[in-house]
Amino acid sequence: MALPKNGGNSSSTKKKVSYISVPSQIINSLSSSSLQSLLVSPKKSSRCTNRFSYRNPRIWFLTLFLVSLFGMLKLGLNVDPISLPFSRYPCSTGSFDEHHAVSHLAFASKNDTQSSSSSEHRKNETLPTEGDFWKQPDGLGFKPCLGFSRQYRKDSNSILKNRWKYLLVVVAGGMNQQRNQIVDAVIMARILGASLVVPVLQVNVIWGDESEFADIFDLEHFKNVLADDVHIVSSLPSTHVMTRPVEEKRTPLHASPQWIRAHYLKRINRERVLLLRGLDSRLSNDLPSDLQKLRCKVAFQALRFSPRILELGNKLASRMLSEGQYLSLHLRMEKDVWVRTGCLPGLTPEKLAGLCPLTALEVTRLLKALEAPKDARIYWAGGEPLGGKEALEPLTKEFPHLYNKHDLALPGELEPFAKKASVMAAIDYIVCEKSDVFIPSHGGNMGHALQGQRAYAGHKKYITPNKRHMLPYFMNASLPESEFNRIVKDFHRESLGQPELRTGRGGKDVTKHPVSECMCSDRRQQQQ
C-alpha cells in the first residue's frame, strides 16, 4: 500500500514514495472513507518534519481509530506489533522498519536452522548409523617386532659366507600361491645353510602367464632386505652351471626343520645344488621363533611388487580413495573356482561345511546385514565371474558404485599386462590392501595373504564371512530380513580383523596370524 509523502525541501517539485505494509484483515475491516484517509497523507509542518500537526482533526480521528483497532486486534488476535501498519516513530523514513525486518528474517533463519538441526538429530536417533561399518578394529597396540635372537645373528655370519651350495626352487600356481612358496624357499635355504637362487616361476598352464620373478617382484629390494639372513643370487655361478642338481619331489606336507636337514643336508653338501619343486604347504607352520620371524620378514617386507606394478596399483587405489573411504571385495566367482570346489553357484544343502564361495546375492545380503552404506564405493577383485557381469546384478542393484581395475584404468594402462594373470592379481592385491575394509567371498591364498598383511599394517579392518554359521539362515526363506541382519551382524562381531593370537600354534600360518610371534604390544603387557 503506497503512501505519498512530500519531500523535506518545500521548494522541490519531486515527490518521494515510501511504503508500509497493511495486513489484508485490516484493509477488509476499513470503510471506503477510512481507506481513503490512509491513502491521503496529511501535510507536514514546515517547521519540523518530525512532528504531527495537532490542529488537523483527521489526524486525531485516524490516530484514535488505529489505536482502538490495535487494542482490539491485540486482545482478540494476538497480532505481532511488527506487522501493524504504523511505526512508533511517526516520522521514520523506513530505516527502522527495514532494520526490524532484517532482524526478524535473521531470527527466522536461525530458527529454521535450529529446527532443521533438531529434525536431523531426531532422524539420526531413529535411523541406524552407518558410520560403524568404517570403524577400524582395536589393534591393542600391536606393532611389528622382528627381534632375532643372538644365536640367530651369530649363525648368520657363517651361513652368509657359505657360497658353495645352492638351492634351486620352482614355484607354481597363481601369484599368491607363488608368494607362499617363495617365502618357504627362503626359510628352507636358511635351514640348509645354502645360497638361494632367485625362484623360478613356472609357466601357468591355465592362464599361459610367462612372467618371471623380476616381472612381478622388486628383485633388488628382495635381495637387500634379506641380505643379513640368506645369500640370494640371480643365477647359478659358472662353477655350478654344469652340476646336475638333485631333484626332490617327495617333500611331505608340513615338513619340520629336523626332517629337512635329515633328508636334504647330506645331498646338497655332496652335490652342491638341490632342486625342489612343488613347495606348496611343504614346510611346517610351526617353526622355531626366529624362523617364524624370518617368514614374516619375507612376506611383509621383502616381497614388494615391481615398480611398474606398484605405480599402476597405487594409481587405481588413489582413484578409489579420491572420493573417500572404500571397501574391497575378493569375489571368487570364476568358472575354475566353481569347478575346483565342486560347488554349484551358491551355498547348497550338500555343502553344509560352508566351503563354497559366496554368490553376488549372498555377498549383498552380508553387506546389508553389516550395515554397509548404500553409497559405499566398492572395488571388486577377481576374474570374470561365471555367467558374466549379469552374475553381479544383485550386488550392483543394491550397491551401484562397484568398480574393478578395468573400470578404473585409463585407456592403455592395462594393455601391457593383458595376458599376464599374475600381474593382474598383483594389481588387485595392491588396491585391496589399501582399502579401508576388505572382505573375501571365499578362502584362498590372496585372502590369507591380505589377512596377514593388514594385521601387520596395524590391523586394518578385515571381515571374514562366517559361511558355516550363515548357511541355515541363507536357506531360510521365511526369516524376516531384519532378523537375518541381526543374526548375521552378531556372527561377525569377533571377525572384523581384531588381533588374533597364534596361541597353542595348532598349524596356523604365521603370515596369516602374525600375532604374537611377529608383532608385540607394550599396551597389552601393561594391561596384563
Side-chain angles (χ1 to χ4, degrees), residues 381-400:
E384 182 73 15
L386 179 63
K389 288 193 174 181
E390 291 79 7
L392 298 177
E393 285 183 358
L395 185 56
T396 55
K397 183 178 179 180
E398 294 290 336
F399 298 94

Side-chain angles (χ1 to χ4, degrees), residues 366-423:
L366 173 62
L367 291 177
K368 291 176 68 176
L370 296 174
E371 298 181 358
K374 289 195 173 187
D375 61 350
R377 290 167 57 80
I378 302 176
Y379 179 87
W380 69 275
E384 182 73 15
L386 179 63
K389 288 193 174 181
E390 291 79 7
L392 298 177
E393 285 183 358
L395 185 56
T396 55
K397 183 178 179 180
E398 294 290 336
F399 298 94
H401 303 291
L402 188 69
Y403 313 94
N404 67 359
K405 51 187 170 289
H406 299 285
D407 300 318
L408 296 173
L410 299 178
E413 282 185 323
L414 290 175
E415 189 175 345
F417 315 117
K419 295 183 179 180
K420 296 185 178 295
S422 294
V423 176

Side-chain angles (χ1 to χ4, degrees), residues 12 74 114 119 128 154 165 189 200 282 397 451 468 495:
S12 175
K74 185 68 176 179
Q114 291 175 343
S119 175
K154 181 180 178 181
K165 57 181 177 182
V200 177
R282 300 296 167 179
K397 183 178 179 180
Q451 182 173 350
R468 181 177 300 178
S495 303

